[in-house]
Amino acid sequence: MPTVSPLLRTVASYAWRLLVVGAAVYAVFALLGRFHEIAVALFLGLILTALLGPPTRGLTRFLPGSLAVAITLVGTAVLLMGVLALVGEAVAGESTTLVREFREGLDSIEEWLERPPFRVNPEALSDVQSKVGAFLSSHRSTLLSTAVSGAGHLVQVLTVLALAAFSSVFFLHGGDRQWSWFCAQLPEPARERVGVAGRAAWRTFTGYTHGIVLVAATNAVLVGVALYFLGVPLAVPLALLEFFAAFVPLVGSPVALGVAAVVALAAKGPFVAALVVALIVVIGQIEGHLLHPLVMSRAVRLHPLVVAVSVVAGAIAAGVVGAVVAVPLVSVLWSVRTALRAHAALNPAPVAGTDG
């Protein structure tokens, strides 16, 4: 019989292991994709737990645990509704002025495009407007059905938010006891390693959550103040958009500021829009060279290339949700690997036959 070379045997052994690992990863992602609403709700519940854990622990010094959790959650809900009411009032108060400024801005943009160096034919611009109007008229039923399906998606979003709040109640009130119970169900040799991995994962996740919220809030304040002094309408809603967009590292903030630049172009003209574009560069420099090194360095020790690849891969796999989840997931996995290696170095496994 022909003998198999050692190199081929080694390659084959690694190949089937990689196939098994790949199949397991695919099965996990397929399961999460099938029940992605539950996965997103639990992820949001963990975020709420990481954010509300410190104030809840502070209140438990003076109040019972259940009452402290209730006060924290109700206070957070009231704060969020107040912010949404402020944004709605800002939009309603500026709606009339905004429509007028947009019409004047679009007219000025058309005049600007008709002048050198662009010299766009005025008939082409009017033809574009007529085509857009004809498209909206001919696809009115499609747009209506899209709006109806959007209402169904809104129900799903509200359901996910309700499940996230419900799960955060139990995480805040008894998360430590739940984790201890889970570890107790494992085989005794694995309990210590799982405990080490769990503590490292939660420490990294809470650090990332606190850091990204601080970075997003700082970006939102800077953007809101800058847009207010530039006279750009909807400064408060655009600042809120910047806050949520900052949860997608490297990509979210420029996209949100791009929307602000379009609003500035339509309402205030090319000069103010150019200033908003310059603001994109300034915010990016502040975030990349000041906020992330100071705030996120302890929680996220990843190379910027790893962060970029993670965001793109997450977006390809699961859209916006994947882009948001990718970086904390990779950070947690790396933290767990580092903690387990350090634990193994400090507690080496006994060599067989050395006892006695």
Side-chain angles (χ1 to χ4, degrees), residues 190-201 203 332-348:
R191 292 177 188 174
E192 186 176 0
R193 289 175 56 84
V194 172
V196 170
R199 288 190 295 270
R203 183 170 57 249
V332 165
L333 292 177
W334 181 256
S335 175
V336 168
R337 176 186 179 276
T338 304
L340 290 178
R341 289 188 64 182
H343 176 74
L346 294 175
N347 303 276

Side-chain angles (χ1 to χ4, degrees), residues 251-314:
V251 178
S253 183
V255 171
L257 288 174
V259 175
V262 172
V263 175
L265 178 64
K268 294 297 181 180
F271 178 72
V272 177
L275 293 178
V276 175
V277 172
L279 182 64
I280 297 177
V281 179
V282 173
I283 294 293
Q285 294 298 314
I286 294 175
E287 180 179 348
H289 295 88
L290 181 62
L291 294 178
H292 274 280
L294 291 178
V295 177
M296 305 287 289
S297 59
R298 293 185 179 181
V300 182
R301 299 177 181 177
L302 300 177
H303 192 276
L305 179 60
V306 177
V307 174
V309 172
S310 301
V311 171
V312 174

